[in-house]
Amino acid sequence: MKALGIEYIFANSGTDFPPVIEGLAEAEAKDIDLPQAIVIPHESAAMAMAHGYYLGTGKTAAVMAHTNVGLANCAIGAINASIENIPMMLFSGRTPTTEKGRFGSRTVPIGWGQEMRDQTALVREACKWDYELRFPEQAIETVDRAKALAETTPRGPVYVSLPREVLCEPCPAGQISSPALMSAPKPGVDRDAFHQAAQWIAEAEQPVIFAQRGAGGEKGFAALAEIAERWGIPVCQYWAVRLAMDLDHPMAAGNNPADVLDQADVVLVVDSLAPWSPDKHTLKPGCKVIHLGQDPLFSKVPVRNFQCDLALASDVEAGLLVLNAALNEFDVPGLAKSRQDMWAAANSEKRRAVLLAAAKAGAGGITKEWVSLCLSRALDGRKASILSELGCPPAPMTLNHPAAWYQEPHAGGLGWCFPAALGMKLGDPERTVVATMGDGSYMFSNPVVCHQIAEALELPILVVILNNAEWGAVRQSVLDHYPDGYAARSNQMPLTQLSPVPDFMQVAKASRAYAAKVTQADEVENALREALRHVEKTKSLALIDISITR
């Protein structure tokens, strides 16, 4: 067992950490069981790796960065982790406050250049707790408390500032072997509230379920499927960042809220930041809405006014298990069977249409949907996880287990997918991990850094770039608001172009990775299969750059 239950520290080596490095060396010489420190060449990659590591293992990791400039590079990762309730321990140095007279005082101009009145302000709003270490003997208890608070619901990142003078002072090494003083409390459930929710669902004529951030785990995944099938309830995964239901399940209703919401009289919202768009979708008068999640009202979001008639505060998996048990106390009405038949038929037809459209797309230019279909076929039979950042859409894929799909955080901090996939692979080496992203997202990921990490740590993943030489999300946003505007009619929409596109294969090859480019639709699936064979045979990264034509 690693000290304080931490297995990995993703560290960007900075000039403020010589005492930390010296301390690690001394502890290793004494054979003290420490977390493994991994050098990461850029802080943004370290944050996303810690994020992906948690998604793959359920374990909290730590990130150690360099003073205010390193912390600034951590800010986007902290924002992403915060909105997705990812526990993470973030540390950064603090430039010395003394100019002379102490071991660790300022010695070079950077000590003055990195001075700030409030360094923590860089990440304070994204962190649920912060502290500045004052004395070396506080170190163990501070780290211990930080981990417990990060893992307390609602989970999220915490931050500790480390002044260099404090780091340079001696601290008894024997404390490192001390058992943890704190553990995060396990959230309970309000049985009466869950019984009320079950009663509303059992008595509803048209209940629906929205799920956006998964079902918590395998048991939650199975419980949600059982609830939906037994009671004939469609499940909409609108803008989902994790999979809550098998896309081929008869109650999987796709990702369009309009298909299920208009006639609903009871809505169960499972851990969804924005289950639908109030600007486009409205609730039926008298509809009751239940929100279930570790923070069902999303208290950290200043403006979020979705109706909530009943809030069920619990971990998602535990809550779904309790709700399923509460529903079993009620008789299933005959209406549930007719709902089941109706939704199964409708969902099957929509599913068939999605797959048919994706397959037809392959007869022309390469679309994202065609790549998704080809990737799904290539991964058949593997224990695989797909991460997507404006990359492959999930609808045409066969996704049938809770670890099958992860999309970019709703915070939208780009550059997440590639390093998050590396962190996931580090935590679960036997899993096939695929990172799919647009060309802009790939560039945002600091790819030279990520390829160096993959080679240095021997993390064999498949990277798939869907290359349309533009900011596709920006284009789509303009079209949504101004479908008949000047920009929509122009040959090249302003402020969206990424041409000339770099040769991404050369970036990958610089770190001795396998790389290939695909420009023809009929070559996509074979190229993906060949890349997967390379990953599995050589245990090294493979990159496929696919030209998207529409």
Side-chain angles (χ1 to χ4, degrees), residues 319-342:
L320 288 172
L321 293 173
V322 171
L323 181 61
N324 193 25
L327 279 166
N328 286 336
E329 298 175 10
F330 293 87
D331 293 328
V332 180
L335 180 60
K337 177 62 171 123
S338 61
R339 285 197 307 254
Q340 186 184 80
D341 293 341
M342 178 191 72

Side-chain angles (χ1 to χ4, degrees), residues 13-62:
S13 182
T15 57
D16 50 329
F17 286 128
V20 174
I21 295 170
E22 177 66 20
L24 289 171
E26 181 181 351
E28 289 176 358
K30 295 180 179 180
D31 199 27
I32 296 174
D33 194 19
L34 291 177
Q36 183 175 346
I38 300 176
V39 176
I40 303 299
H42 198 280
E43 295 89 353
S44 63
M47 294 293 287
M49 285 186 70
H51 191 141
Y53 179 80
Y54 178 78
L55 291 177
T57 65
K59 297 177 182 178
T60 303

Side-chain angles (χ1 to χ4, degrees), residues 498-515:
L498 289 178
S499 297
V501 177
D503 187 342
F504 297 136
M505 289 196 302
Q506 298 305 319
V507 179
K509 288 179 179 179
S511 288
R512 290 149 292 276
Y514 172 94

Side-chain angles (χ1 to χ4, degrees), residues 307-324:
Q307 178 180 330
C308 179
D309 300 287
L310 185 61
L312 306 176
S314 75
D315 269 333
V316 173
E317 185 167 55
L320 288 172
L321 293 173
V322 171
L323 181 61
N324 193 25

Side-chain angles (χ1 to χ4, degrees), residues 92 136 243 257 431 446 464:
S92 81
L243 195 68
R431 183 184 305 190
N446 209 334
V464 181

